[in-house]
Amino acid sequence: MVQRLTLRRRLPYSTQSNKHKIVKTPGGRLTYIYLKKLATPARCGDCKRDLPGVIRARPRKLHSVSKRQKHVTRTYGGSRCHFCVRTRIIRAFLIEEQKIVQRVLKAKEGTVKRA
């Protein structure tokens, strides 16, 4: 005969926070154990890739974890992936170079008009 099971908590509905599985205890009884929600990995804000070096945890656990485990030691570490940071740096450098070239061309134009 199959053993009847009763839920341990009051919530009877099959919701996201009420997932459970049946396990056999050392005493031989069957009981429900409640499963925690799976943690999603930290993602890059630009390209949405998973961030390597950042721990996967639920928000409550992240609060108690040290800062060293929540980010990497780099500009935008824990927020953007290495590839996006690299493209940002290159883009900023090229924009600055472009501004310098425009200034040089403007200066040349000024000397040509005067002469």
Side-chain angles (χ1 to χ4, degrees):
M1 182 151 167
V2 177
Q3 182 181 347
R4 290 188 183 185
L5 294 170
T6 55
L7 294 170
R8 297 166 127 189
R9 297 179 188 162
R10 291 171 185 257
L11 179 64
Y13 305 109
S14 177
T15 61
Q16 276 188 315
S17 62
N18 199 34
K19 299 241 190 283
H20 50 262
K21 72 176 186 176
I22 300 169
V23 292
K24 190 174 256 188
T25 61
R29 292 182 9 194
L30 295 177
T31 59
Y32 283 121
I33 60 165
Y34 289 90
L35 305 173
K36 293 196 163 146
K37 290 184 187 179
L38 291 176
T40 54
R43 292 218 158 85
C44 174
D46 293 344
C47 65
K48 309 300 182 218
R49 283 190 206 155
D50 292 359
L51 290 178
V54 179
I55 157 182
R56 293 173 69 134
R58 297 292 298 166
R60 187 69 183 245
K61 176 93 167 57
L62 278 175
H63 182 72
S64 63
V65 168
S66 68
K67 188 174 182 181
R68 183 183 63 78
Q69 294 174 300
K70 289 186 274 193
H71 77 111
V72 290
T73 315
R74 180 177 56 234
T75 311
Y76 295 106
S79 170
R80 303 287 185 266
C81 69
H82 68 283
F83 186 75
C84 292
V85 172
R86 184 168 168 250
T87 53
R88 278 177 181 224
I89 291 168
I90 292 169
R91 187 183 299 132
F93 174 75
L94 291 175
I95 288 169
E96 288 302 314
E97 285 289 309
Q98 200 174 22
K99 286 178 186 173
I100 291 167
V101 168
Q102 285 172 350
R103 270 191 239 130
V104 168
L105 289 175
K106 209 174 216 181
K108 256 188 193 170
E109 251 180 45
T111 56
V112 170
K113 283 184 180 177
R114 284 184 199 157

